[in-house]
Amino acid sequence: MGGEKFGFFIWVSSISCLICLCHGYVPVNNYLINCGSPTNITVTGRVFISDKLASTLLTSPSEILAASNRSSDSDIYKTARIFTGISKYTFSVARGRHWVRLHFSPFQFKNFEMGSAKFSVSSQTHVLLSDFTVKSRVMKEYSLNVATSHLELMFTPSGDSFAFVNALEVVSIPDTLISGDPSFAGSPGRFQGLSWQALETVHRVNMGGPRVTPNNDTLSRIWEPDSEFLVEKNLVKSVSKIASVDYVPGYATEDTAPRTVYGTCTEMNSADNPSSNFNVTWDFDVVPDFQYFLRFHFCDIVSKALNQLYFNLYVDAMMVVENLDLSSYLSNTLAGAYTMDYVTGSAKQNNRIRVSIGPSTVHTDYPTAILNGLEIMKMNNSKGQLSMGTFLPGASNSTTKKKNIGMIVGATVGPLFALVVLGGFFLLFKKRGRGQDGQSKTWIPLSTSGATSDSNGTTITSVTSNSSYRIPFAAVKEATNSFDENRAIGVGGFGKVYKGELHDGTQVAVKRGNPKSQQGLAEFRTEIEMLSQFRHRHLVSLIGYCDENNEMILIYEYMENGTLKSHLYGSGLPSLSWKQRLEICIGSARGLHYLHTGDSKPVIHRDVKSANILLDENLMAKVADFGLSKTGPEIDQTHVSTAVKGSFGYLDPEYFRRQQLTEKSDVYSFGVVMFEVLCARPVIDPTLTREMVNLAEWAMKWQKKGQLEHIIDPSLHGKIRPDSLRKFGETGEKCLADFGVDRPSMGDVLWNLEYALQLQEAVIDGDDQEDDNSTNIIGELPLRFNDFNNRGDTSVNVGVARERQFQEEESSVDDLSGVSMSKVFSQLVKSEGR
Ligand SMILES: *[C@@H]1O[C@H](CO)[C@@H](O)[C@H](O)[C@H]1NC(C)=O
Ligand SMILES: *[C@@H]1O[C@H](CO)[C@@H](O)[C@H](O)[C@H]1NC(C)=O
Ligand SMILES: *[C@@H]1O[C@H](CO)[C@@H](O)[C@H](O)[C@H]1NC(C)=O
Ligand SMILES: *[C@@H]1O[C@H](CO)[C@@H](O)[C@H](O)[C@H]1NC(C)=O
Ligand SMILES: *[C@@H]1O[C@H](CO)[C@@H](O)[C@H](O)[C@H]1NC(C)=O
């Protein structure tokens, strides 16, 4: 955000959002600090470390450690750190959302009466607390998206007062937890820019269920029971059916909310009276003059069958959803966990949010209504404040420098963090061997095997054995400056990604596997096997790997411009032109076509999606992440996979049904990517109305009506030539055909995309040969011409021109295509049989 260009390789490995079983979320950053305490304290399994250790994170003009002699307190509240001047904690973090939890429990220490302390707390970008005074124990929870590699928490005493804090948490949040553009509650339109919003948890409520404590929540959250918020307690009953909760892949997960939340609800107590008609209402206190983010959690644990529960949802007496039928959202799963996000239409005028549910007036057979959970979060205002006051974000920075000059020693502690790192990150890797400093730093010469991408691109340059890609751990450390946190450029289920630099100046992306990732090892191996054998300018190149000390490190060419997805939505990057988008589609189609057409034994990527298409400095597309790839059915006739893998929203429905894998599954996923590129929205967006949730369905609906232009990315309005859009739409539609046999091959898709590009550029006479630069296919395997959709008078010329070009190049391809494929595949088959 702001003017900051954040180093683009936000390539979050797909593994985190796969359909397969989730192994529990492991936060990348997990700082838990017991302020003022000389000892570590374990609170329900979480270790709050002594801030003696944490003192390396702190720059402060004064250090006062306070201990109380209260015996009743939970341990982390027994001690505190008092700040008499502006003081700052600096946490080295991976970019992305983090919880910031501040624990306060005032007590008297010497002449410091903490109950009368007045102070502000801010990050580099947002004011969290302004002129804050705390009389009794409280925990403040925030969710901040950090765009840099550091999160600063600054404590600023007001006037002559002082500041204090008893304990601190800075913990990573899964990327998927807060995303999308929520609708406004009760007014039209959507709120844009949620991802850069700082949020403060105001209420987090488990309707009809017990208090949930951090040890019962994968993200260590607290959920309160709802009785104190109910306006009329006698109108409801509590229902509990925790065992029936179904986490449907692609929707809510246990990280969204635990089973105890979905498995309990407050239900309208209609006493089986079919004429019951009243609302159940909750009132929540809020601070006026802010907008609020509302997340409703639903799970139909009360119905006996589908389509029995229809109810209305109101916020502040405005209809938000009418005739809500949960089963219809969740592909007819009864007790599926489901969330709906809203933002209040404007800053609140009053200090209350009123939420009601009531029976539908249309479907009156079973008059009832439920709510399972609700989160209410305050959103920062346009000044970046979550708390009004005179204190503004950033304002304090200059003051600090003035006041504390000379007192802050060695403020540039950055690189130290990686070594002294506290809390979870440390624990995460503590099983690993320490840096093997004594080891030789010699490199195995990779460049001779063509490891860095050569200018004429494409092809299998060498079928060297895997070991020639092996890189010593010491060299990896050197390239990443010992995994300097400042070089972290992304994080995902697989682990962290760092930017690194090799001896010869080649920029690389270093993906360091998380040893806790259970599936990691198989995918690590597949990826090495695939990438070390296949080289193509539209497949991301593997430069090497390291498996010393049980490390799982992969080293790739660095892709300056990150994922295709990040250029489509959610990250505020400038939008791509239609031509750029077509070229990206063409490039990735080439990469896939190459994979599919190897010597009659295709390789199926299995996880084609916009997050796995990376862009280099010239926005040239390369397909990445081969962790799930498989060789095709010709080899593996009998292979019927029981574990359907892939990413939700991109999954071929036929593969889902029959669990038989063909390359046409990739074609389907690619079709979804095409519409994602056209519409610039997530493939699944649960915040949208039912018919819009799934992009593939939504786009097909408009494509079939011939009105695709209604749903295209607004920034493309008036910029796409109708013919080009029609061609593109038809091609996408064919890709999304229900049955694989009806879908085109990647080669056909490629041809049609090139045609769509030509229609856009209007070079359709066939004599204009300047297209060599934009549609360079040198070294490509020959395309098959299936005449797919190749009607209409203009297409003939193009077809001829193209065909001529292919014929010229076929010869240069021959000597490359046959070389290695059989070897490659026989190796793969062997490894399959484990
Ligand atoms: C506290 O925990 C940290 C990190 O786990 C560890 O390095 C340190 O030795 C512990 N300190 C004490 C006093 O146990
Ligand atoms: C215990 O607290 C009281 C005030 O609350 C204080 O006067 C006393 O010094 C404290 N004792 C210790 C050992 O800190
Ligand atoms: C919380 O977890 C503990 C075990 O860790 C379990 O005994 C308890 O029943 C759980 N409580 C709730 C409300 O789920
Ligand atoms: C439920 O609340 C809404 C909004 O306040 C109101 O319009 C509606 O009439 C209420 N329904 C009943 C049955 O009271
Ligand atoms: C919240 O703060 C960010 C700055 O970090 C700002 O860009 C954004 O506009 C603010 N939100 C609102 C609703 O003003």
Side-chain angles (χ1 to χ4, degrees):
M1 67 194 208
E4 191 147 9
K5 180 176 185 221
F6 49 110
F8 287 119
F9 189 99
I10 329 166
W11 171 24
V12 173
S13 155
S14 60
I15 298 160
S16 55
C17 25
L18 292 181
I19 279 217
C20 39
L21 278 180
C22 189
H23 295 285
Y25 174 68
V26 181
V28 175
N29 302 115
N30 191 14
Y31 296 94
L32 308 177
I33 296 171
N34 186 11
C35 301
S37 166
T39 55
N40 294 346
I41 300 270
T42 305
V43 183
T44 57
R46 308 170 80 212
V47 181
F48 282 75
I49 65 153
S50 151
D51 89 340
K52 257 194 194 156
L53 284 162
S55 61
T56 54
L57 303 173
L58 183 64
T59 44
S60 171
S62 62
E63 302 244 340
I64 299 170
L65 305 183
S68 89
N69 49 17
R70 290 174 300 185
S71 56
S72 56
D73 252 341
S74 154
D75 287 324
I76 55 168
Y77 293 109
K78 268 191 172 158
T79 58
R81 190 180 270 274
I82 291 173
F83 307 109
T84 54
I86 299 172
S87 306
K88 186 165 79 177
Y89 282 93
T90 307
F91 299 92
S92 176
V93 296
R95 291 185 180 88
R97 262 196 195 273
H98 290 74
W99 299 121
V100 172
R101 298 190 179 111
L102 307 174
H103 298 262
F104 301 103
S105 179
F107 57 86
Q108 167 101 37
F109 179 76
K110 300 195 176 148
N111 52 350
F112 294 101
E113 171 49 49
M114 297 181 200
S116 60
K118 196 174 181 191
F119 56 96
S120 301
V121 182
S122 58
S123 73
Q124 326 64 316
T125 46
H126 293 91
V127 176
L128 310 182
L129 292 165
S130 186
D131 294 332
F132 173 70
T133 295
V134 56
K135 294 291 177 204
S136 58
R137 185 203 290 189
V138 70
M139 190 270 285
K140 292 289 203 174
E141 182 186 88
Y142 304 89
S143 151
L144 303 181
N145 197 352
V146 185
T148 55
S149 55
H150 292 90
L151 172 64
E152 295 176 1
L153 289 180
M154 172 117 56
F155 289 79
T156 309
S158 306
D160 293 335
S161 193
F162 63 95
F164 78 98
V165 63
N166 301 75
L168 277 177
E169 300 178 33
V170 172
V171 184
S172 313
I173 300 179
D175 293 323
T176 48
L177 189 69
I178 293 168
S179 60
D181 298 335
S183 302
F184 288 117
S187 50
R190 300 169 145 271
F191 180 83
Q192 314 260 323
L194 179 66
S195 60
W196 291 110
Q197 205 66 37
L199 302 171
E200 176 186 342
T201 310
V202 186
H203 298 286
R204 180 178 287 127
V205 187
N206 179 15
M207 268 69 189
R211 185 168 197 267
V212 180
T213 49
N215 55 319
N216 290 66
D217 180 295
T218 54
L219 304 183
S220 303
R221 291 164 295 197
I222 294 171
W223 302 74
E224 302 289 351
D226 68 327
S227 54
E228 66 165 299
F229 305 104
L230 272 168
V231 175
E232 286 183 88
K233 297 184 181 54
N234 56 337
L235 297 181
V236 303
K237 58 185 176 190
S238 299
V239 182
S240 174
K241 270 195 197 160
I242 294 175
S244 57
V245 176
D246 196 348
Y247 287 104
V248 181
Y251 293 90
T253 67
E254 268 191 277
D255 293 337
T256 321
R259 250 168 226 284
T260 331
V261 172
Y262 287 116
T264 58
C265 72
T266 289
E267 183 184 9
M268 172 187 169
N269 191 356
S270 52
D272 293 328
N273 176 354
S275 59
S276 295
N277 188 15
F278 56 84
N279 288 335
V280 174
T281 298
W282 296 262
D283 278 346
F284 300 94
D285 291 340
V286 296
V287 179
D289 302 323
F290 286 95
Q291 276 182 284
Y292 288 84
F293 172 75
L294 308 177
R295 171 166 288 180
F296 294 89
H297 298 269
F298 292 108
C299 180
D300 182 359
I301 53 171
V302 301
S303 298
K304 294 187 176 55
L306 294 172
N307 309 111
Q308 285 188 350
L309 175 64
Y310 293 88
F311 62 100
N312 297 340
L313 173 66
Y314 310 89
V315 172
D316 291 334
M318 288 177 293
M319 178 73 80
V320 171
V321 195
E322 196 168 10
N323 306 321
L324 177 58
D325 172 13
L326 295 169
S327 52
S328 71
Y329 286 94
L330 287 149
S331 29
N332 294 329
T333 304
L334 185 54
Y338 195 73
T339 61
M340 298 181 93
D341 292 349
Y342 292 95
V343 167
T344 56
S346 57
K348 293 291 296 177
Q349 300 298 302
N350 59 11
N351 56 3
R352 186 188 75 186
I353 290 180
R354 166 163 281 200
V355 170
S356 307
I357 52 173
S360 158
T361 46
V362 183
H363 302 85
T364 50
D365 292 353
Y366 305 90
T368 194
I370 61 163
L371 183 56
N372 304 65
L374 173 61
E375 291 171 272
I376 299 181
M377 296 186 188
K378 193 200 278 174
M379 304 184 1
N380 70 265
N381 65 16
S382 56
K383 292 176 182 159
Q385 296 167 308
L386 280 165
S387 171
M388 300 282 200
T390 48
F391 195 83
L392 286 173
S396 52
N397 278 321
S398 51
T399 349
T400 329
K401 277 171 198 145
K402 254 184 263 155
K403 271 198 183 173
N404 294 342
I405 228 154
M407 290 182 171
I408 302 170
V409 189
T412 52
V413 273
L416 274 178
F417 296 151
L419 305 172
V420 194
V421 179
L422 308 151
F425 181 62
F426 183 87
L427 295 172
L428 203 67
F429 290 107
K430 85 172 178 203
K431 281 195 197 152
R432 308 283 186 82
R434 295 287 130 78
Q436 317 265 305
D437 287 331
Q439 241 173 27
S440 103
K441 294 196 173 183
T442 48
W443 279 85
I444 289 161
L446 293 167
S447 38
T448 54
S449 68
T452 49
S453 69
D454 37 12
S455 49
N456 57 358
T458 68
T459 65
I460 308 143
T461 44
S462 63
V463 192
T464 44
S465 78
N466 287 341
S467 62
S468 71
Y469 287 86
R470 189 176 270 141
I471 291 178
F473 186 64
V476 182
K477 268 180 73 184
E478 191 187 320
T480 56
N481 195 10
S482 298
F483 302 99
D484 185 345
E485 287 306 296
N486 291 319
R487 289 169 174 263
I489 47 178
V491 60
F494 180 85
K496 258 191 180 180
V497 183
Y498 299 82
K499 186 177 177 180
E501 196 173 294
L502 302 184
H503 269 334
D504 60 356
T506 312
Q507 308 242 293
V508 293
V510 176
K511 194 161 151 191
R512 188 183 194 189
N514 172 355
K516 288 196 182 161
S517 158
Q518 306 262 331
Q519 308 168 299
L521 190 58
E523 277 163 18
F524 179 67
R525 287 196 185 125
T526 311
E527 182 121 16
I528 294 169
E529 304 223 36
M530 291 288 170
L531 283 180
S532 58
Q533 321 262 9
F534 299 156
R535 299 221 152 254
H536 187 274
R537 62 184 299 167
H538 292 293
L539 302 183
V540 79
S541 337
L542 183 73
I543 289 177
Y545 71 93
C546 170
D547 57 3
E548 262 172 58
N549 320 322
N550 294 321
E551 290 281 356
M552 294 190 289
I553 297 174
L554 293 163
I555 298 145
Y556 303 90
E557 61 179 320
Y558 181 71
M559 297 292 281
E560 185 76 33
N561 274 307
T563 67
L564 167 59
K565 185 174 181 180
S566 69
H567 289 263
L568 295 175
Y569 48 81
S571 63
L573 293 171
S575 33
L576 300 168
S577 71
W578 182 235
K579 183 179 177 211
Q580 284 171 322
R581 294 184 206 210
L582 282 173
E583 282 170 353
I584 289 165
C585 287
I586 289 169
S588 27
R590 285 229 164 93
L592 290 172
H593 173 63
Y594 168 77
L595 279 181
H596 287 180
T597 50
D599 213 28
S600 87
K601 284 156 193 150
V603 168
I604 303 166
H605 183 283
R606 288 221 296 173
D607 200 14
V608 175
K609 58 180 180 180
S610 59
N612 281 343
I613 294 171
L614 302 182
L615 304 175
D616 74 7
E617 68 277 15
N618 302 316
L619 293 175
M620 187 170 89
K622 301 196 184 208
V623 179
D625 217 326
F626 292 78
L628 294 180
S629 306
K630 272 222 177 354
T631 49
E634 278 84 348
I635 285 189
D636 215 357
Q637 282 291 340
T638 55
H639 180 259
V640 176
S641 160
T642 44
V644 172
K645 290 187 180 180
S647 294
F648 211 75
Y650 296 94
L651 257 194
D652 171 10
E654 194 184 40
Y655 169 44
F656 211 111
R657 280 194 305 272
R658 299 179 48 216
Q659 311 192 341
Q660 235 162 17
L661 202 56
T662 73
E663 64 275 53
K664 293 298 179 69
S665 295
D666 284 350
V667 175
Y668 182 93
S669 309
F670 188 80
V672 179
V673 172
M674 284 174 65
F675 284 115
E676 203 181 355
V677 163
L678 182 68
C679 306
R681 56 152 277 191
V683 296
I684 296 284
D685 187 346
T687 65
L688 295 173
T689 59
R690 184 184 153 193
E691 52 175 356
M692 294 172 73
V693 168
N694 185 321
L695 172 61
E697 273 173 39
W698 179 237
M700 284 295 269
K701 184 177 154 187
W702 289 94
Q703 166 63 21
K704 290 206 162 108
K705 281 200 252 184
Q707 298 179 338
L708 205 51
E709 65 276 13
H710 283 281
I711 59 162
I712 66 173
D713 181 353
S715 74
L716 293 174
H717 277 149
K719 310 231 168 88
I720 309 184
R721 288 180 178 235
D723 281 349
S724 178
L725 178 60
R726 192 172 36 77
K727 189 68 171 164
F728 189 88
E730 284 168 1
T731 310
E733 183 183 4
K734 297 246 151 110
C735 292
L736 295 187
D738 273 340
F739 297 98
V741 290
D742 299 324
R743 294 178 204 144
S745 69
M746 269 330 287
D748 299 326
V749 174
L750 176 53
W751 191 91
N752 279 273
L753 285 170
E754 289 188 347
Y755 187 33
L757 177 63
Q758 300 211 358
L759 289 170
Q760 179 70 14
E761 311 246 90
V763 285
I764 48 175
D765 294 331
D767 53 13
D768 188 335
Q769 281 302 69
E770 56 89 66
D771 63 344
D772 259 5
N773 49 358
S774 61
T775 55
N776 188 348
I777 49 158
I778 290 169
E780 196 66 51
L781 295 174
L783 294 181
R784 288 166 298 191
F785 280 83
N786 288 359
D787 286 321
F788 157 55
N789 213 11
N790 192 3
R791 52 187 137 77
D793 35 85
T794 47
S795 59
V796 178
N797 285 336
V798 181
V800 171
R802 291 259 137 235
E803 207 158 316
R804 195 188 322 133
Q805 199 174 351
F806 291 137
Q807 279 162 2
E808 279 164 18
E809 283 158 8
E810 241 170 290
S811 55
S812 70
V813 155
D814 270 342
D815 52 329
L816 302 165
S817 57
V819 180
S820 57
M821 283 301 182
S822 47
K823 244 185 204 167
V824 169
F825 287 111
S826 63
Q827 285 204 7
L828 285 170
V829 173
K830 266 182 245 151
S831 73
E832 261 327 291
R834 76 195 136 88

